[in-house]
Amino acid sequence: MTAKPIIAALAVVPTASGEVVFVRQQRGPYAGWLLLPGGKVEFGESAHDAARRETVEESGFEVSELTPTGVYEIRAEDGSYHFVMFTFRAGTATRVTVGGHHVGGVLQASVDEVQPHPTVMRILNDAGAASYPAQDIEQGLRRNGILMGGHLIATAAALA
């Protein structure tokens, strides 16, 4: 059980070919799932800087501008974890390293070809990068005992 919420940040990283960069989580409550590159915000670091740093560390992609898309509170029903997640959508992305820090692999794929974690499905929808059915997301969250609330910063239309 966590003593306090973990503040984290992630990035939706679209590639030039219209795919999205995913990482296979190796540890934590979502081990084995496809997630978006991201992680904990370090003391003294902005969420924006954390998203940029974690994207390079986990996926090997350096990103240009990051546009805030939302803030989400993600909790386990059993109280085993509690995240406050700042999300961003990247502009251009350039592969600079292999990546793979604390992940089991990096995948560039069309959102139509993968089944990411249900929290990621909602974040991708809200960022205008996917259109997963809301019913599938809600069923996945319930099945995995996840409570997820969100506050959109930018709408998908504003990002297009």
Side-chain angles (χ1 to χ4, degrees), residues 133-144:
Q135 180 179 336
D136 292 353
I137 297 169
E138 292 307 315
Q139 286 175 350
L141 293 172
R142 274 196 305 277
R143 182 176 53 249
N144 290 289

Side-chain angles (χ1 to χ4, degrees), residues 9-14 21-23 36-40 45 47-66 86 88-101 103 106:
L10 62 76
V12 175
V13 182
V21 176
F22 295 95
V23 295
L36 299 168
K40 291 181 188 177
E45 180 179 46
H48 181 274
D49 289 343
R52 184 179 303 283
R53 175 184 51 78
E54 288 284 349
T55 298
V56 173
E57 288 177 3
E58 289 194 348
S59 71
F61 281 86
E62 197 169 86
V63 296
S64 63
E65 68 280 350
L66 288 173
F86 291 84
F88 300 86
R89 183 167 176 155
T92 58
T94 305
R95 188 80 182 245
V96 293
T97 68
V98 174
H101 183 255
V103 298
V106 178

Side-chain angles (χ1 to χ4, degrees), residues 15-51:
T15 65
S17 62
E19 297 174 323
V20 172
V21 176
F22 295 95
V23 295
R24 178 131 352 246
Q25 188 63 37
Q26 229 175 6
R27 59 187 188 168
Y30 304 154
W33 282 95
L34 285 177
L35 300 179
L36 299 168
K40 291 181 188 177
V41 175
E42 304 285 336
F43 183 79
E45 180 179 46
S46 70
H48 181 274
D49 289 343

